[in-house]
Amino acid sequence: MTTYTANPALDLVLERTVDVAPEQVWRAWTTPELLMQWFAPKPWSTTACEIDLQPGGRFDTTMRSPEGEEYPSSGCILVAEEGRTLVFTSGLGPGFRPQVSEDGFPFTAVIKIEPHGDGTKYTAIAIHADASAKKSHEEMGFHEGWGAALDQLVEVMKAG
Amino acid sequence: MTTYTANPALDLVLERTVDVAPEQVWRAWTTPELLMQWFAPKPWSTTACEIDLQPGGRFDTTMRSPEGEEYPSSGCILVAEEGRTLVFTSGLGPGFRPQVSEDGFPFTAVIKIEPHGDGTKYTAIAIHADASAKKSHEEMGFHEGWGAALDQLVEVMKAG
């Protein structure tokens, strides 16, 4: 199948091993009630989530800031290989409809889930159109944010 | 699987029945040497084509105007269901990388190929972000252009 190789000039990568099983990581990413518990790094929260788990299906989330402001975003699932690979993009909306972001930049997220002992090798790649989008995403705190969210994912799945 | 329903406010549809078999229409769309013979309505021509027929794969074409000016465009395949459905978009490039069109508008094309007697029911849907993109595409001559290209496809496949 398709392999996803990050371009260091354009993309951001978070790679970690975690001690929850691949199928748990997959469930956490694809089950709205679970995703809402970990997706936004605290003190942010996720107040809505809708996922139609197939290519062309919607991947919608709403994040709420500590001040109570809500930020809905709508994306499109591109790949859903159960237990292994989830790819979604904000460059398209549900039904593969192109969407132009009024502010910010579109990106595609590749979540690779691989068995690693009893745990998981977890790779998140954020794919951008150009170096300036990569830079903005990095300065918004990509590594800290996605890292903190992953810690929350692990905590939620261990508690469940 | 996913069904593709056009939104009349945003999308353009060309629906025709043609007397070449579904597998011939599929070959014409997915084989670069064939596609280059019909894709651009004459007197335009297609001077280059590269297709990596899988989700995330490239769908690149170069059209040449009667004056000899070349217009390369790079897109991304989203769905490749052999003999039935081809979906690609200019909103993403190869590897699902978001791309921002400097000029023009992004669109997603759905090509549905269904058996119809000995021939094919052919449906092409152009999916746009908003009504103004639809209008631009229509004014560029979507129906005439895609219709003439389909006539050429039929002619090429009958000759082959």
Side-chain angles (χ1 to χ4, degrees), chain A residues 2 11 55 96-98 108 128-129, chain B residues 2 11 55 96-98 108 128-129:
Chain A
T2 311
D11 304 331
F96 297 128
R97 183 176 301 285
T108 296
H128 306 94
Chain B
T2 311
D11 303 332
F96 297 127
R97 183 176 301 285
T108 296
H128 306 94

Side-chain angles (χ1 to χ4, degrees), chain A residues 112-124:
Chain A
K112 285 201 289 185
I113 299 170
E114 296 165 275
H116 181 86
D118 291 337
T120 298
K121 181 182 166 196
Y122 177 92
T123 310

Side-chain angles (χ1 to χ4, degrees), chain A residues 23-78:
Chain A
E23 48 273 26
Q24 295 287 86
V25 177
W26 179 257
R27 280 185 58 225
W29 260 104
T30 58
T31 313
E33 311 85 74
L34 293 172
L35 184 140
M36 290 172 66
Q37 296 175 50
W38 67 264
F39 187 68
K42 285 174 192 157
W44 285 62
S45 60
T46 309
T47 54
C49 175
E50 204 177 328
I51 296 173
D52 174 16
L53 196 57
Q54 60 177 331
R58 70 176 60 242
F59 186 87
D60 294 356
T61 55
T62 299
M63 297 216 271
R64 179 187 281 164
S65 75
E67 294 75 30
E69 197 135 14
E70 300 213 321
Y71 298 85
S73 83
S74 187
C76 184
I77 289 177
L78 300 171

Side-chain angles (χ1 to χ4, degrees), chain B residues 124-145:
Chain B
I125 310 175
I127 299 175
H128 306 94
D130 50 40
S132 92
K134 176 202 167 181
K135 187 159 176 274
S136 300
H137 207 172
E138 198 161 25
E139 290 172 356
M140 282 169 62
F142 168 83
H143 288 102
E144 302 78 358

Side-chain angles (χ1 to χ4, degrees), chain A residues 83-98:
Chain A
R84 297 308 298 259
T85 310
L86 180 69
V87 183
F88 61 92
T89 189
S90 62
L92 304 176
F96 297 128
R97 183 176 301 285

Side-chain angles (χ1 to χ4, degrees), chain B residues 1-77:
Chain B
M1 289 304 297
T2 311
T3 52
Y4 302 95
T5 313
N7 175 339
L10 303 176
D11 303 332
L12 294 168
V13 180
L14 176 79
E15 189 181 303
R16 294 250 306 265
T17 55
V18 294
D19 60 350
V20 294
E23 48 273 26
Q24 295 288 85
V25 177
W26 178 257
R27 280 184 58 225
W29 260 104
T30 58
T31 312
E33 310 86 72
L34 293 173
L35 185 140
M36 290 171 65
Q37 296 176 50
W38 67 264
F39 186 68
K42 285 173 191 160
W44 285 62
S45 61
T46 308
T47 54
C49 175
E50 204 177 327
I51 296 174
D52 174 16
L53 195 58
Q54 60 176 333
R58 71 175 61 241
F59 186 88
D60 294 356
T61 55
T62 300
M63 295 216 271
R64 180 187 281 164
S65 75
E67 295 74 29
E69 198 136 14
E70 300 214 321
Y71 298 84
S73 83
S74 187
C76 183
I77 289 176

